[in-house]
Amino acid sequence: MTQKTFIQAVIILSAFFLIWFGFSQIDFMKLFKVKERTTTMEHKLGDLIWNQLEDAEEIVYNDTITKSLDKLLKPLCDANDIEQDSLKVHIIRKDEINAFALPNNHLVVYTGLIEDCKRQEALQGVLGHEIAHIENNHVMKKLSKEIGYSVLLTAAGGSKGGQVAREILKTLSSSAYDRSLEKEADMSSVKYMIKADINPKPMADFMYQMAQDSGINKAMYWIADHPESEERAKYIVEFIKGKKLKNKQTLSAKDWKTFQEEVGKD
């Protein structure tokens, strides 16, 4: 290699590394306001979907019921540094055994789920699972993958918003997340419960019970929309095996019974 060629090579390499270094210093997320745009989109989508639900469904505003659900959420949030006030919790009177998270921290719980849980810890496990979807940004990941970021952005901007909102609601309320995201939400919920001194075993029992109950309409309950429910129950049991678990109950037996009775009233 001649000296001239060597010098040219050095200049080219130096220029390459200078350009690379320059680009590495640029915050493209900030430059294009991607995070800000995504957050705004999520807020608009969540409120758009909730407004549709509010118009179409019977919302429960009974203080006894809403305050009891808040009490069940409180230890999970307090022990895990989750801001409870950031969660927009809604109870819908519906027989389906279901709960699901929407964009912008909306958490929807059907009365059918509350009635069907034999133990309050089982309900707390389901709530923790849905909170984990919110905390780990699973909701927007799922929607971006299955519906498409550009479609979501268009809907949030007002174009065909109602039509997309219905599709989003169907996607979030009746189909599972990726297997890895479901496991992450399960294990996050278990850890939330352990930190709050709540025994997670009833959550696993609830999953197993739902998986085995052939009398239930499989299209209309929480566990059926999540893959490999029996396997999930087993890995929760395996995770807690040998751990010294506490059994702190948030509601007294009397208050839990009253809560379920109130929920069951027409």
Side-chain angles (χ1 to χ4, degrees):
M1 180 184 292
T2 65
Q3 186 177 1
K4 183 179 178 182
T5 304
F6 176 75
I7 292 171
Q8 287 176 334
V10 170
I11 291 171
I12 291 169
L13 282 171
S14 299
F16 170 79
F17 282 112
L18 279 170
I19 293 169
W20 175 82
F21 178 76
F23 276 112
S24 70
Q25 302 308 302
I26 299 173
D27 187 343
F28 286 99
M29 293 291 282
K30 186 176 181 180
L31 181 65
F32 295 112
K33 297 184 178 180
V34 173
K35 186 175 181 180
E36 181 182 329
R37 190 175 297 150
T38 301
T39 301
T40 301
M41 176 182 71
E42 183 176 352
H43 287 179
K44 287 183 177 179
L45 285 175
D47 294 342
L48 180 67
I49 301 162
W50 172 246
N51 288 338
Q52 287 210 347
L53 266 175
E54 196 171 27
D55 289 340
E57 303 289 355
E58 182 184 350
I59 314 302
V60 175
Y61 296 108
N62 181 309
D63 278 352
T64 302
I65 295 173
T66 57
K67 286 179 180 178
S68 293
L69 192 65
D70 284 343
K71 285 180 183 177
L72 290 170
L73 283 165
K74 190 175 190 313
L76 295 173
C77 294
D78 288 351
N80 294 280
D81 298 321
I82 296 166
E83 190 178 342
Q84 187 169 354
D85 288 343
S86 71
L87 299 172
K88 302 174 179 71
V89 184
H90 314 285
I91 303 173
I92 291 179
R93 186 167 297 287
K94 207 160 190 174
D95 290 338
E96 292 178 30
I97 304 168
N98 206 0
F100 51 91
L102 298 174
N104 196 23
N105 295 7
H106 288 277
L107 174 56
V108 177
V109 183
Y110 286 171
T111 54
L113 172 69
I114 298 171
E115 288 184 84
D116 201 73
C117 287
K118 293 182 173 64
R119 300 273 299 272
Q120 60 183 279
E121 298 93 334
L123 178 57
Q124 286 172 305
V126 174
L127 295 173
H129 176 100
E130 297 304 329
I131 291 171
H133 281 319
I134 293 171
E135 289 289 300
N136 296 320
N137 198 34
H138 291 173
V139 180
M140 293 307 294
K141 285 179 183 176
K142 176 181 173 68
L143 292 179
S144 295
K145 180 180 177 182
E146 296 188 17
I147 294 177
Y149 185 86
S150 60
V151 176
L152 297 175
L153 197 59
T154 301
S159 178
K160 297 183 180 179
Q163 181 181 338
V164 176
R166 287 189 289 274
E167 187 179 346
I168 291 171
L169 180 58
K170 183 179 179 181
T171 299
L172 292 175
S173 64
S174 62
S175 68
Y177 289 78
D178 288 348
R179 207 174 197 180
S180 61
L181 297 185
E182 289 292 11
K183 185 168 185 178
E184 185 180 353
D186 283 339
M187 299 318 297
S188 291
S189 182
V190 169
K191 290 170 186 175
Y192 291 161
M193 295 175 79
I194 291 173
K195 278 191 177 181
D197 296 334
I198 300 168
N199 192 336
K201 189 174 182 301
M203 176 187 177
D205 292 341
F206 175 71
M207 288 180 172
Y208 190 76
Q209 167 204 330
M210 292 291 97
Q212 297 300 310
D213 195 337
S214 58
I216 294 177
N217 182 342
K218 298 272 181 191
M220 298 177 70
Y221 67 89
W222 181 81
I223 201 68
D225 296 329
H226 298 62
E228 308 298 338
S229 52
E230 195 169 327
E231 178 188 325
R232 290 166 65 204
K234 288 177 181 176
Y235 64 59
I236 289 173
V237 171
E238 187 63 30
F239 178 79
I240 63 177
K241 188 187 296 183
K243 287 183 170 58
K244 292 182 179 178
L245 301 173
K246 295 187 178 178
N247 292 282
K248 188 175 180 180
Q249 292 197 319
T250 305
L251 300 178
S252 68
K254 180 182 177 182
D255 287 345
W256 170 247
K257 184 179 179 182
T258 301
F259 176 44
Q260 288 192 304
E261 286 174 350
E262 285 293 325
V263 166
K265 291 178 182 177
D266 291 330

